[in-house]
Amino acid sequence: MKFKTFALFVGPSVLAMLALIALPLVGVTYISLYSSSVKTEIVEVKTQVPVFAGVVQEVVTKVPQPVLDENGNPVKSWDYVGLGNIESVLATDQIADAIASDNTVDESVGTIDNLINMYYEIVDVDFWAALEFTLLYTLITLPAVLALGFLLAMSVHRAANKHFKGSLIFATLLPMIVTPLVGSLSIYWLFLDNGVMSSLLQMLGLGKVYFLKDAFSIRSLIILYGIWSTTPFAFIIFYAGLQTVAQDSLEAANLDGATPWQQTRYVILPHLAPLMIFVSMIHVMDAYRIFEPVLVFGSNLFANSLQYLTYHTLYFEDNFNKAAASAVLTVIGVAILLIPAVIRNWREHKRGH
Amino acid sequence: MAINAKTWRLSGTALLTVWAPLAAFPFLWMFLMSMRSPVDAFAFPPKLFADITFEHFYTVWIVDGFWVNALNTVVVTVGVMAVSLTIGCLAGYALSRYRGSVGFWLLLVALIFRAMPHVVLLTAYKPAFFELGIWNRYETLIIVLVAINQPFTIWMLRSFFANIPSELDEAALVDGCSRIKAFIKVIMPVMWPGVITTGLFSFLLAYNDFLITSQLMDGDHMTMTAALGNYIYSDDNLTKVLEGVAGAVSVTIPLIFLVLFFQKQLVGGLVQGAVKG
């Protein structure tokens, strides 16, 4: 195919991506460098305050008022602040204070306690708290999803009954396909204070558990949701991979007297290794963007994620510039996460795929 | 050895019998709750059987106007699928046939775009669309969702097109067809499985999106998923919670049919990505 034909064919798609992905990325970076505020001035406002029996006193108060232009719209100022927004999101001052103060803290408490204190002071800042939970979520769900997905794939692969297999794949597919908001809500509703899980636990004599009033249980539930909703993906990929395991090598291993565990360890797992890497890469990218469960469960009080933090700044604080700054920081994180994927594709390209 | 293999298999079956109900339980309970009065839905101890009522569905669909959101969902998902597949097929076909390195770079950039958190883009859309006055319009939402979905779409379609032997279109070209005619008359007719699978994933993206849709659209223009946002954070009012449950069930039912009818294509599409990279 000639380059000109190629360009014509990919044109509309590339245009859409340039206009609505590439340009916004530039725009966000630009917005993050500025700070907008409504210009205000102090205006003297006179009000008539009734004092007693028809006697009125005039009170003059000084009130900040937005400056209006000739059309009656508030005048907005747009100031270049450089990295100011990013610094305020990162709370660099506060972090520097935390680190500096802990170096001078009394030594009676011990270094480890000092470090723990320092850690708590750092995750007190919204951005670092969001980063902390995003990483925590990724690090816990990733091995769980890989292991559970693999075990399920092995079990379904070995299950004899075809009908059973079909309905199992169906039941497993649903948590992955379903709207993330609905999936998060369906778990959330189970754990309401008078919901079914709390009641069941109470019946078992474990006492009343308030799942949604405590950071630890809320974080656990978000992680549970993560495992529930992404294990199906790992399962399906591994299940497909199991279909292509060379039967000869399995039979040979069997004849040589390899136990099922040895067959798994030395034949099946090496065969699935590339798929494990693929699933891990996709999962890390998706975990980094976790949003809906944090919206449903956490607000930003108990659990926060990077994507939710930007949403919160944008929606509740209505601060575009600060939201843009945390968006830029998020993109930097994406760039770091993508390095292995880019290297992998680059190698394949070099090999001439 | 024989016993070992048997326990091995038994433990697998045990895992499956535990997993399948667990995976389905949140949905099952949601369905049960949606058809109960608050007293039954939050009874202690929990009830397996209770009186059935469709009151919450009535409130959500008729009183709260969920039917408008359902129509919006149809408009948005059909629009996204149509535009996404049209421009995606053109690009995917070209990417599968072009041998230069520009194609590789395009795919690599698309991979990076695919990993972008949507809120990053939203931060730029909000002020820009407000300035341009294209806020709260179906066209805007459709084209935004199409663009966000393009990276994934072109990756997937490219690998489907790559499975079609290029001798096919070359023969058509030799016979005097133009490139675009060969694409439409010869390639597309054998591409339907790929188009259906990719279309399913485009549908899911548009249908499942909450973040972008709830921020770009007003109440009357929202899709069902975005409208569900009205029911979160209302735990104090149990009737309202159950209305939210009824709304969530309404959103889930079409997806259940989707999985029932297109299980093969969905699984095939997921696996395609893994095998082809």
Side-chain angles (χ1 to χ4, degrees):
Chain A
M1 189 184 259
K2 285 189 196 118
F3 178 72
K4 209 177 152 193
T5 338
F6 171 74
L8 280 175
F9 269 76
V10 297
S13 176
V14 168
L15 203 67
M17 285 192 281
L18 279 182
L20 290 161
I21 303 180
L23 194 63
L25 284 178
V26 177
V28 159
T29 317
Y30 173 79
I31 298 172
S32 76
L33 298 177
Y34 286 83
S35 165
S36 77
S37 53
V38 176
K39 246 189 196 157
T40 50
E41 57 190 352
I42 303 294
V43 181
E44 288 191 353
V45 179
K46 288 178 185 167
T47 38
Q48 307 267 331
V49 182
V51 182
F52 170 70
V55 182
V56 178
Q57 191 192 4
E58 195 168 79
V59 178
V60 181
T61 43
K62 290 185 174 171
V63 191
Q65 287 273 323
V67 182
L68 301 181
D69 61 12
E70 56 268 35
N71 298 322
N73 293 322
V75 177
K76 282 192 175 172
S77 63
W78 186 251
D79 307 305
Y80 180 78
V81 292
L83 295 179
N85 288 320
I86 290 182
E87 276 167 16
S88 94
V89 169
L90 290 175
T92 38
D93 294 349
Q94 209 173 322
I95 301 302
D97 278 357
I99 293 168
S101 69
D102 278 312
N103 286 337
T104 55
V105 150
D106 56 326
E107 288 173 9
S108 56
V109 210
T111 356
I112 293 178
D113 284 327
N114 280 335
L115 280 175
I116 289 172
N117 279 337
M118 193 166 94
Y119 180 76
Y120 279 128
E121 273 181 56
I122 290 173
V123 295
D124 209 25
V125 178
D126 279 345
F127 176 81
W128 297 106
L131 184 67
E132 181 210 25
F133 184 66
T134 309
L135 291 179
L136 193 71
Y137 172 84
T138 312
L139 289 180
I140 296 178
T141 50
L142 180 63
V145 162
L146 287 177
L148 194 56
F150 175 69
L151 289 177
L152 285 172
M154 289 289 282
S155 311
V156 173
H157 186 60
R158 276 151 199 262
N161 190 334
K162 262 216 161 137
H163 213 72
F164 182 57
K165 274 188 193 179
S167 50
L168 215 117
I169 294 180
F170 172 75
T172 313
L173 214 51
L174 208 54
M176 172 179 62
I177 293 297
V178 84
T179 315
L181 183 73
V182 171
S184 313
L185 281 170
S186 75
I187 303 256
Y188 180 82
W189 286 324
L190 291 180
F191 290 94
L192 285 175
D193 288 346
N194 37 12
V196 60
M197 291 314 271
S198 313
S199 302
L200 283 178
L201 288 182
Q202 204 173 348
M203 279 169 68
L204 291 175
L206 292 174
K208 186 94 180 150
V209 184
Y210 294 95
F211 286 101
L212 305 173
K213 301 282 186 288
D214 172 66
F216 178 75
S217 56
I218 281 181
R219 289 173 165 217
S220 314
L221 286 179
I222 294 177
I223 287 166
L224 187 75
Y225 165 81
I227 295 172
W228 175 69
S229 63
T230 45
T231 298
F233 175 67
F235 156 68
I236 284 168
I237 301 294
F238 295 156
Y239 182 63
L242 284 177
Q243 314 300 315
T244 60
V245 173
Q247 288 305 311
D248 323 356
S249 31
L250 273 184
E251 272 164 30
N254 212 353
L255 283 179
D256 289 346
T259 62
W261 162 248
Q262 284 169 332
Q263 290 178 27
T264 312
R265 173 70 188 78
Y266 295 105
V267 182
I268 296 176
L269 274 180
H271 179 76
L272 290 184
L275 294 180
M276 294 249 173
I277 293 171
F278 171 79
V279 170
S280 308
M281 261 164 43
I282 298 278
H283 181 74
V284 167
M285 270 194 243
D286 287 345
Y288 186 74
R289 307 194 275 196
I290 174 182
F291 171 72
E292 277 91 348
V294 177
L295 174 79
V296 167
F297 281 97
S299 329
N300 61 346
L301 283 174
F302 300 113
N304 207 340
S305 74
L306 290 172
Q307 174 142 253
Y308 183 78
L309 175 73
T310 311
Y311 170 82
H312 192 269
T313 318
L314 194 65
Y315 185 56
F316 292 107
E317 293 178 28
D318 204 17
N319 187 338
F320 287 116
N321 306 95
K322 206 175 150 198
S326 79
V328 166
L329 290 168
T330 313
V331 172
I332 292 171
V334 172
I336 295 170
L337 286 183
L338 276 173
I339 291 171
V342 168
I343 289 176
R344 186 181 124 120
N345 275 282
W346 175 249
R347 279 202 193 131
E348 277 184 13
H349 178 62
K350 283 272 174 178
R351 263 190 273 137
H353 272 270
Chain B
M1 171 63 208
I3 298 163
N4 201 345
K6 204 169 185 182
T7 30
W8 193 253
R9 176 166 295 175
L10 268 180
S11 57
T13 318
L15 175 72
L16 293 180
T17 34
V18 173
W19 167 259
L22 269 186
F25 182 66
F27 296 115
L28 292 176
W29 195 256
M30 195 165 75
F31 276 76
L32 285 182
M33 278 211 294
S34 71
M35 294 184 288
R36 289 177 176 187
S37 66
V39 181
D40 288 333
F42 297 103
F44 180 84
K47 290 182 182 173
L48 198 52
F49 301 101
D51 294 340
I52 287 175
T53 166
F54 290 99
E55 181 189 349
H56 309 303
F57 285 96
Y58 177 80
T59 317
V60 169
W61 278 80
I62 310 296
V63 181
D64 292 357
F66 214 57
W67 63 274
V68 180
N69 304 115
L71 289 181
N72 294 336
T73 302
V74 173
V75 172
V76 172
T77 51
V78 170
V80 168
M81 277 195 289
V83 181
S84 192
L85 288 176
T86 311
I87 66 176
C89 277
L90 286 169
Y93 171 68
L95 284 166
S96 75
R97 295 296 186 260
Y98 182 65
R99 295 275 157 260
S101 64
V102 183
F104 164 76
W105 288 109
L106 188 58
L107 284 168
L108 196 68
V109 171
L111 181 79
I112 295 168
F113 284 171
R114 179 174 129 59
M116 267 326 137
H118 297 169
V119 78
V120 172
L121 307 173
L122 185 70
T123 310
Y125 295 153
K126 264 194 122 174
F129 292 172
F130 208 70
E131 281 302 306
L132 295 170
I134 50 171
W135 190 259
N136 197 22
R137 293 168 66 135
Y138 295 120
E139 305 92 301
T140 311
L141 179 64
I142 289 173
I143 199 73
V144 162
L145 291 179
V146 164
I148 288 181
N149 203 18
Q150 264 317 285
F152 175 75
T153 309
I154 60 176
W155 266 89
M156 188 171 235
L157 283 169
R158 183 197 68 120
S159 67
F160 275 110
F161 278 116
N163 287 342
I164 299 174
S166 55
E167 286 81 18
L168 211 60
D169 34 337
E170 272 153 25
L173 288 178
V174 171
D175 287 348
C177 266
S178 66
R179 191 51 100 157
I180 188 84
K181 210 171 165 197
F183 168 68
I184 294 170
K185 291 268 159 97
V186 181
I187 301 299
M188 282 317 283
V190 292
M191 241 318 261
W192 284 112
V195 170
I196 290 173
T197 302
T198 316
L200 283 171
F201 285 96
S202 299
F203 169 84
L204 283 174
L205 174 109
Y207 189 86
N208 285 346
D209 175 73
F210 171 78
L211 179 60
I212 301 272
T213 311
S214 68
Q215 290 294 299
L216 289 190
M217 306 300 264
D218 280 349
D220 295 345
H221 290 76
M222 278 185 185
T223 60
M224 292 198 283
T225 305
L228 276 185
N230 297 332
Y231 300 97
I232 57 178
Y233 302 137
S234 54
D235 298 349
D236 297 336
N237 182 347
L238 290 182
T239 313
K240 179 115 191 193
V241 169
L242 288 177
E243 283 163 20
V245 175
V249 167
S250 313
V251 173
T252 312
I253 288 171
L255 293 174
I256 290 179
F257 283 105
L258 187 95
V259 176
L260 274 179
F261 290 130
F262 296 108
Q263 185 167 326
K264 235 180 211 154
Q265 283 84 351
L266 287 169
V267 172
L270 290 169
V271 172
Q272 177 104 349
V275 179
K276 299 275 167 190

